[in-house]
Amino acid sequence: VNTFHSTPGSHLTELSQIVQNSVWEAGGLPFEFAIADQTGTPISERKRRKLGPQRRDRLASDIVNLAREAYLEGLVFISADDHDAAAHILAARRLDIPTLILPGGYRRPDVAGVQASRQMAGNFVTDSGYDCDTTSSMQMVAEALGMCLPGSTPIQAGSLRLRKLAFMAGQQIVRLVEDNILPSTILTSEAFENAVKFALATGASFNTVGQLAAIGASAEKPVDVIGLFERYAQDATFLPDLSLGTAMN
């Protein structure tokens, strides 16, 4: 499932092709469908915070409907940003078929261009310098939940390492299908505890709290993610200084 945007990433299409070739080599029959998302452009930046949950839920519903119509046995999601990653996990929980998330990686934009885009959108943002950006936060949390290959985040978009991981993802999804390893066996309460601790330790974006809460509430046995943050926040140890995709990187 290739969730692409009109602006950022032709590299996602390249990753998709690598995954398909890998699935074919492993004995599977690859099939790609793309979910177009036009809300990631600078002109709509002002509305992203307000419309974020609706955007996430719409993406998840579109994916579930298409996957069911195609009778797919396994899914590899290529995530472009935090709403994509959250939507992919939500869809995986609803479908409960073997699933793997391949993060699209972080980008190193032209700083002046980013600032100009933010001003055009009326969204003036001051980077704190000590936290992790929203996209990378959710991609890393997806790995902490167990939905990605180990060590797949954070990786720069378009890098050789990311291409290698795309090939590994194609091989792995075939094994997951053969062994019938389902999201319901991965997304346990322990997995959510691990993700919450990870988010606190890395200074993840605040958006991660809402995304994890939505995913936790979607389970047959809901997980109180907000309660987990409250429980572990007092004793959390802040570890790294992450400024992914910035001039300091």
Side-chain angles (χ1 to χ4, degrees), residues 48-67:
R48 291 189 71 189
R49 294 181 184 273
K50 181 185 295 185
L51 299 179
Q54 294 95 317
R55 172 191 174 199
R56 176 197 63 219
D57 295 341
R58 176 182 58 81
L59 284 173
S61 296
D62 289 347
I63 291 166
V64 169
N65 292 334
L66 286 169

Side-chain angles (χ1 to χ4, degrees), residues 68-183:
R68 286 174 175 166
E69 290 178 2
Y71 295 98
L72 301 179
E73 295 182 291
L75 291 171
V76 175
F77 290 108
I78 303 178
S79 298
D81 67 12
D82 61 311
H83 295 299
D84 296 345
H88 293 164
I89 299 174
L90 281 172
R93 297 200 74 161
R94 295 174 188 173
L95 291 165
D96 204 27
I97 61 177
T99 300
L100 193 64
I101 292 179
L102 175 64
Y106 65 87
R107 303 180 72 83
R108 299 183 63 182
D110 174 70
V111 176
V114 171
Q115 292 175 345
S117 297
R118 286 173 172 171
Q119 291 176 6
M120 286 173 57
N123 181 26
F124 300 90
V125 179
T126 301
D127 293 324
S128 60
Y130 60 80
D131 61 355
C132 181
D133 70 87
T134 302
T135 297
S136 296
S137 292
M138 196 59 213
Q139 290 181 354
M140 290 191 292
V141 164
E143 181 181 345
L145 283 170
M147 296 299 293
C148 306
L149 289 172
S152 59
T153 59
I155 298 178
Q156 185 175 338
S159 64
L160 177 60
R161 184 181 172 197
L162 187 54
R163 295 188 185 96
K164 290 180 178 179
L165 278 164
F167 185 84
M168 293 170 60
Q171 302 281 301
Q172 181 66 13
I173 192 59
V174 174
R175 288 191 286 266
L176 293 177
V177 170
E178 292 173 344
D179 296 337
N180 196 35
I181 298 177
L182 308 177

